[in-house]
């Protein structure tokens, strides 16, 4: 089992756009498994490659543990979306912060598995939210970038306090 290091906001790597996966080899399979281990070790329901500093379009998700097997996907794309729902989210890269944002209620996602086979998902509920959150990461977008203007001001203040606290602890 390999647990990779997580980047934390505001690391600039988290703002970058990831590149498509073109090689469906053993290296990719190992990386996907490492991502899954990392997600589980941090009690996450989803993880995107940029969160561990790798700018490749890879995500792993486990929204219904014990019900469905975890998803390990390359090149996920939202091909259609409908509806709008409030979604309370957090992110392993913004530890300790949760807030409500708007997401699509349902999404259709095309993606590839570790062998390059194309899969289609008709997602709703937590799975739909999770897809949107993780695919955002591949485009350098964090859930805090989707906060309303007022909530964003609160977040900035929260972030400032947190970094001051960290500076104090480092002394
Ligand atoms: Co996240």
């Amino acid at each position: 089992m390999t647990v990779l290091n997580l980047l934390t906001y505001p690391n600039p790597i988290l703002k970058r756009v990831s590149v498509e996966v073109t090689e469906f080899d053993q290296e990719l399979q190992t990386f996907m498994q490492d991502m899954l281990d990392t997600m589980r070790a941090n009690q996450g329901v989803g993880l995107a490659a940029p969160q561990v500093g790798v700018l490749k379009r890879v995500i792993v998700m486990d929204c219904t543990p014990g019900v469905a097997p975890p998803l390990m996907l390359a090149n996920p794309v939202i091909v259609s979306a409908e509806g709008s729902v409030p979604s309370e989210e957090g992110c392993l890269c913004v530890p300790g912060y949760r807030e409500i944002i708007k997401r699509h209620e349902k999404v259709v996602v095309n993606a590839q598995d570790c062998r390059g086979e194309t899969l289609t998902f008709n997602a709703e509920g937590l799975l739909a939210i999770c897809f949107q959150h993780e695919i955002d990461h591949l485009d350098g977008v964090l859930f805090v970038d989707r906060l309303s203007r007022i909530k964003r001001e609160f977040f900035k203040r929260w972030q400032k306090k947190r970094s001051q606290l960290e500076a104090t602890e480092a002394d």
Side-chain angles (χ1 to χ4, degrees), residues 53-171:
V54 176
L55 291 168
K56 285 184 185 170
R57 302 189 83 84
V58 175
I59 62 172
V60 297
M61 306 194 309
D62 197 5
C63 296
T64 49
V67 177
L71 297 172
M72 300 190 270
L73 301 168
N75 306 326
V77 177
I78 294 171
V79 291
S80 72
E82 62 175 88
S84 175
V85 285
S87 164
E88 189 189 330
E89 298 185 20
C91 180
L92 294 177
C93 293
V94 195
Y97 187 80
R98 294 186 71 80
E99 192 46 273
I100 296 167
I101 59 164
K102 281 229 167 106
R103 292 288 190 190
H104 293 297
E105 188 179 8
K106 296 177 181 177
V107 290
V108 178
V109 175
N110 282 349
Q112 286 167 285
D113 68 10
C114 64
R115 292 183 301 276
E117 299 289 334
T118 300
L119 305 167
T120 299
F121 299 88
N122 286 287
E124 54 181 73
L126 181 59
L127 185 64
I129 300 291
C130 215
F131 265 124
Q132 293 169 79
H133 181 113
E134 302 313 331
I135 292 171
D136 264 356
H137 274 299
L138 305 181
D139 293 320
V141 176
L142 299 184
F143 84 102
V144 294
D145 297 322
R146 294 193 180 278
L147 293 170
S148 65
R149 210 157 54 92
I150 291 170
K151 285 176 179 172
R152 187 152 180 83
E153 288 308 313
F154 277 112
F155 171 68
K156 277 187 196 159
R157 262 179 266 167
W158 178 88
Q159 173 64 22
K160 204 174 160 189
K161 267 192 206 148
R162 199 192 71 149
S163 42
Q164 282 167 351
L165 202 67
E166 273 174 5
T168 317
E169 280 167 357
D171 282 345

